[in-house]
Amino acid sequence: MKRTFSERLAILSDAAKYDASCASSGSDRRGAAKGKEKGLGSTERSGICHTWTPDGRCVSLLKILMTNFCIYDCAYCINRVSSGVERARFSVEEIVWLTLEFYRRNYIEGLFLSSGIIRSSDYTMEEMVRIAKVLRLDKGFRGYIHLKAIPDASPELLAEAGLYADRLSINVEMPTERGLNQYAPEKDAAGIRSAMGHMRQRMDAAKEKAPSGKRPARFAPGGQSTQMIVGADAATDQDILSSSSALYSDYRLRRVYYSAFSPIPHASEALPAQRPPLLREHRLYQADWLFRFYGFQFQEITESRPDGMLDLDVDPKLSWALDNRHVFPVEVNRAPRELLLRVPGLGPRSVTALLSARRHKLIRLDDLERLRVSLRKVRPFITTPDWKPVKLLDRLDLKALFAPPPKQLSLL
Amino acid sequence: MKEYRVSLPADASFALWRDHARAFLGAGVPPSLVIWECPSGQDDLFSMSETPLLPVRASGGRVTRDCLHLLETVLCHESVERFDLAYRILWRSRTERALLRTVTDPDMILARRMCHQIRHDVHKMKAFVRFRERTPEGSNTRHFVAWFEPEHHVLERVASFFARRFTDMNWIILTPRGSIGWDGETCVVTREICSREIVEDETEALWKTYYRSIFNPARVKVKAMRSEMSPKYWKNLPETELIPEMLAEAARKVW
Ligand code: SF4
């Protein structure tokens, strides 16, 4: 019996929810066509979340699979060939229609399309590219499009995808090659990385003007991102973060997403049956944040952790500060930006405000309070003309001052 | 010295405030002598006579572009305090060169907080407006209507966002502070109070199906959701009525 449109929508969006990314940011800013050829859609530099689901995640894009049929058998994936999940497929026209109707009602910023692999990688990728192409060329759609590329699809197809998509991504899935071999035997780590390298080259080339002044072809101006599953294999946080470090530098990724392994219905026997390690995922995002906005190197963050795991009790920045007490206290009226960013309780915004305020006056504790800095957090780590943290840094129980009582550790 | 009272309508525009402020500045009236007020209640609304402008004696001098931007933003705020604060900043900025950069100054702290709230309001309006279709029969352009309740006077600030985005359809956003409309050619912002229109749209059922299905019941984080999407917005979002049911279902599953 043929399923209704709505039933297929339920199946194909249910299957897409294990992908953490929903960002609609970082592309070029553009508006809808005006005049005779009116169009639909624009993009904003910073992206917009149109709603939130009770899992705390933002809904910015229509995140959906073209189909959840798949010929592969990746253990962590609900769509693998051996899973008993219900299957469905949307046609190119159906996805185009749904995207536009949702967009017109201001539900979404655009489309995030991925798919199980049917027939062949090239066939699947071709269909996905066709959806993006129809949206752009036939429908004049200028909203956001994110395509999940199929790693072993032909380079020509990837190039075409980049013409229409704002962002392309390929999931590395497992933090280590060993993990990938174990759980996704048909996937090939080297192939994934070479596709990412290939995409990076095209993105770089698209930004350079040829000597002739001719503009190069557009290629995914929103860059590429990837996702790793956390907690399905034995990789430590150190393994994960060193993998991120390589991904950010080698392929200049915009984002690495960490997805706490979620128990899936029809789970493979090979997997841990447990609640998703949400707190661990949270700490990894914090570490990632320190790398992207605070000038930390990934290696510094895990260096002093004996088991290669981030401290679950306190955030990685505080954890680093406690392990590097010799750096503190810092004098807020003199310390350079990089050092201020290392002070627990000071973020990039308050540091910028602080730097600008101290050009005009000597900063005291109450000035910090006016800048909405939490004195409780920063006090042990700074000095001001009216404050010296007497011996606070020597206290062995300093961590206890910050760590939450143990029962709050579970986010569930 | 003489005190001055200025009565302004609650939704007074920047231009109206500026005319008064310019006159006071020209006459050398310090902020402490000006009382800005918005009459509240029905009676006042009818008896209210807008305060006549002080005759302009001298030009009020120049303000920097940054200061002007700041004042324009502050004037979008809902509170009556905004008129007074804006005039104080204008007055002080003539002699205190570094005022705008003095992040620890109480006036600047308040102004920045207001600007933040306004930006937040603008941002949430872009996110949470929901269009419903009501294309009249036989029309070859599609028509949509939305109802939204902004907290500040931000319609002029968000209009361009919607006009840039939805050009091939006709739409109107109704709010208790006015409306923004687009007829395919021009965008019109009014400050006439609107009331809500009830429109049914079938596609909303698909949106709810999507909302329900994209939710991962294994990782409930209600606090995170509420901090981003405050329940005060829920009544105008079609999908949020599903939340109690989705949570109840998630709680029944055993992980
Ligand atoms: S190829 Fe993709 S969809 Fe198919 S089983 Fe693997 S992860 Fe799932």
Side-chain angles (χ1 to χ4, degrees):
Chain A
M1 202 183 70
K2 195 162 158 47
R3 288 203 180 80
T4 64
F5 188 89
S6 167
E7 284 163 352
R8 285 180 293 142
L9 172 60
I11 293 171
L12 292 170
S13 43
D14 187 87
K17 71 176 150 218
Y18 303 98
D19 225 304
S21 158
C22 198
S24 57
S25 55
S27 197
D28 42 357
R29 188 169 186 269
R30 56 178 186 261
K34 287 215 178 100
K36 259 202 170 138
E37 287 288 308
K38 286 199 192 92
L40 179 70
S42 59
T43 48
E44 297 284 294
R45 281 233 167 275
S46 55
I48 297 175
C49 290
H50 284 274
T51 192
W52 276 263
T53 37
D55 48 20
R57 280 181 167 169
C58 133
V59 179
S60 182
L61 303 171
L62 168 62
K63 185 159 59 171
I64 197 164
L65 265 61
M66 184 174 76
T67 177
N68 66 339
F69 286 101
C70 190
I71 52 177
Y72 282 11
D73 203 26
C74 311
Y76 48 81
C77 178
I78 187 170
N79 307 318
R80 68 188 190 286
V81 67
S82 62
S83 139
V85 73
E86 282 187 84
R87 310 281 173 169
R89 172 166 186 189
F90 267 145
S91 69
V92 171
E93 292 70 29
E94 284 171 325
I95 292 186
V96 167
W97 178 83
L98 188 65
T99 306
L100 295 174
E101 291 307 311
F102 275 15
Y103 196 88
R104 281 188 191 292
R105 287 163 178 80
N106 205 38
Y107 300 158
I108 52 169
E109 289 295 289
L111 174 67
F112 176 5
L113 184 66
S114 72
S115 182
I117 297 169
I118 37 174
R119 283 196 234 171
S120 70
S121 296
D122 272 356
Y123 172 77
T124 311
M125 193 68 208
E126 222 175 289
E127 289 285 290
M128 293 171 74
V129 171
R130 204 147 70 79
I131 290 171
K133 187 175 178 177
V134 171
L135 276 170
R136 290 281 191 244
L137 301 188
D138 299 354
K139 306 291 180 183
F141 176 66
R142 299 212 184 154
Y144 198 88
I145 298 180
H146 178 166
L147 292 181
K148 172 66 53 72
I150 313 285
D152 42 2
S154 75
E156 291 74 36
L157 280 171
L158 287 184
E160 205 188 350
L163 280 180
Y164 310 119
D166 290 289
R167 175 169 286 186
L168 290 171
S169 62
I170 297 180
N171 285 356
V172 295
E173 312 288 13
M174 290 291 153
T176 63
E177 205 172 321
R178 189 157 33 88
L180 192 73
N181 291 338
Q182 187 185 353
Y183 289 126
E186 290 116 327
K187 285 195 177 166
D188 160 32
I192 293 177
R193 298 204 180 228
S194 94
M196 286 166 89
H198 181 82
M199 297 206 295
R200 172 183 168 179
Q201 275 173 8
R202 289 204 177 254
M203 283 167 202
D204 289 351
K207 287 198 191 97
E208 259 167 52
K209 251 195 192 154
S212 63
K214 204 174 139 227
R215 276 175 63 134
R218 180 182 189 276
F219 195 90
Q224 57 174 329
S225 61
T226 195
Q227 169 170 299
M228 282 187 254
I229 296 169
V230 175
D233 67 347
T236 63
D237 291 344
Q238 192 168 17
D239 297 334
I240 294 171
L241 293 175
S242 72
S243 178
S244 300
S245 172
L247 288 164
Y248 277 121
S249 61
D250 297 353
Y251 309 109
R252 214 176 292 150
L253 293 192
R254 289 291 172 90
R255 280 299 298 275
V256 173
Y257 290 92
Y258 308 91
S259 177
F261 175 70
S262 249
I264 46 174
H266 314 283
S268 154
E269 303 276 291
L271 287 166
Q274 54 170 34
R275 291 205 272 184
L278 294 188
L279 188 55
R280 184 178 174 201
E281 177 195 278
H282 181 61
R283 293 281 180 249
L284 285 166
Y285 274 115
Q286 287 177 318
D288 195 87
W289 196 259
L290 291 181
F291 168 76
R292 291 188 300 136
F293 301 107
Y294 285 75
F296 277 78
Q297 293 305 310
F298 279 125
Q299 199 203 340
E300 293 178 274
I301 303 172
T302 47
E303 201 158 58
S304 58
R305 305 292 311 161
D307 52 357
M309 297 298 277
L310 295 173
D311 194 336
L312 290 181
D313 294 350
V314 294
D315 70 77
K317 190 176 172 192
L318 179 58
S319 174
W320 181 87
L322 294 174
D323 291 336
N324 292 275
R325 294 184 197 197
H326 58 276
V327 177
F328 301 101
V330 305
E331 167 52 52
V332 294
N333 286 288
R334 280 193 306 274
R337 179 183 199 95
E338 306 76 63
L339 198 52
L340 289 173
L341 280 171
R342 301 258 159 166
V343 175
L346 289 184
R349 201 178 291 172
S350 41
V351 167
T352 305
L354 189 67
L355 290 174
S356 120
R358 80 183 187 188
R359 254 183 268 135
H360 307 288
K361 64 181 304 207
L362 208 55
I363 303 296
R364 294 168 183 278
L365 272 194
D366 54 350
D367 292 317
L368 289 177
E369 208 157 24
R370 270 188 224 126
L371 292 173
R372 298 182 145 211
V373 169
S374 155
L375 293 188
R376 189 183 64 85
K377 277 196 197 146
V378 298
R379 230 170 355 201
F381 302 100
I382 58 160
T383 63
T384 59
D386 57 343
W387 167 257
K388 303 267 171 297
V390 195
K391 285 202 229 121
L392 204 48
L393 274 173
D394 300 332
R395 282 174 61 164
L396 286 174
D397 62 346
L398 187 54
K399 182 174 161 187
L401 290 179
F402 295 96
K407 66 170 171 28
Q408 284 179 15
L409 282 182
S410 158
L411 279 179
L412 278 163
Chain B
M1 265 177 100
K2 187 172 173 254
E3 250 185 22
Y4 294 84
R5 269 178 195 278
V6 194
S7 260
L8 293 175
D11 66 347
S13 64
F14 174 73
L16 185 55
W17 169 85
R18 184 193 52 203
D19 291 345
H20 285 284
R22 202 187 269 148
F24 284 132
L25 210 56
V29 183
S32 56
L33 293 182
V34 187
I35 297 168
W36 304 82
E37 54 195 8
C38 297
S40 57
Q42 287 296 322
D43 317 335
D44 284 346
L45 207 64
F46 291 109
S47 68
M48 187 192 84
S49 55
E50 227 176 66
T51 314
L53 285 178
L54 221 59
V56 179
R57 270 185 265 157
S59 112
R62 298 187 161 277
V63 294
T64 61
R65 180 197 290 261
D66 285 351
C67 185
L68 192 66
H69 279 316
L70 178 77
L71 298 179
E72 275 172 352
T73 311
V74 165
L75 260 295
C76 294
H77 201 271
E78 159 66 11
S79 74
V80 189
E81 215 181 334
R82 70 187 185 275
F83 302 116
D84 188 32
L85 175 70
Y87 186 54
R88 226 166 36 237
I89 291 175
L90 179 62
W91 177 270
R92 293 180 57 197
S93 73
R94 296 175 316 158
T95 50
E96 298 172 46
R97 292 254 143 169
L99 177 64
L100 254 68
R101 277 166 284 130
T102 313
V103 282
T104 49
D105 181 273
D107 280 346
M108 294 313 297
I109 289 173
L110 182 57
R112 263 207 325 279
R113 187 173 318 146
M114 285 184 175
C115 292
H116 175 81
Q117 288 165 345
I118 288 154
R119 272 198 305 274
H120 185 261
D121 206 29
V122 166
H123 188 71
K124 292 301 180 196
M125 184 161 177
K126 291 178 186 172
F128 295 152
V129 157
R130 296 284 183 263
F131 284 117
R132 293 189 163 125
E133 181 158 23
R134 55 149 189 207
T135 305
E137 231 171 289
S139 164
N140 49 13
T141 348
R142 296 177 63 183
H143 291 235
F144 291 83
V145 61
W147 169 253
F148 190 77
E149 297 169 59
E151 297 188 334
H152 302 281
H153 304 287
V154 296
L155 297 192
E156 287 85 358
R157 304 206 146 217
V158 278
S160 66
F161 165 80
F162 290 102
R164 256 162 54 83
R165 175 162 291 201
F166 302 104
T167 59
D168 70 347
M169 58 195 228
N170 285 24
W171 49 264
I172 184 156
I173 303 169
L174 306 170
T175 86
R177 297 173 188 277
S179 66
I180 314 174
W182 171 261
D183 62 0
E185 301 296 331
T186 39
C187 184
V188 178
V189 180
T190 73
R191 288 214 171 182
E192 257 162 64
I193 299 169
C194 306
S195 54
R196 180 185 200 134
E197 286 181 27
I198 310 286
V199 180
E200 300 289 332
D201 186 332
E202 280 176 15
T203 306
E204 230 163 67
L206 290 176
W207 170 238
K208 288 186 192 167
T209 303
Y210 176 67
Y211 184 74
R212 190 197 296 271
S213 314
I214 202 70
F215 162 59
N216 186 346
R219 35 184 306 155
V220 171
K221 284 192 194 177
V222 180
K223 234 172 95 187
M225 169 186 68
R226 291 170 72 103
S227 77
E228 297 288 356
M229 183 171 71
S230 156
K232 70 182 174 207
Y233 296 109
W234 292 14
K235 63 177 186 297
N236 291 325
L237 294 170
E239 65 274 16
T240 50
E241 68 178 47
L242 300 174
I243 292 172
E245 188 185 320
M246 286 159 68
L247 287 173
E249 209 171 297
R252 276 198 298 277
K253 295 199 180 171
V254 190
W255 300 103

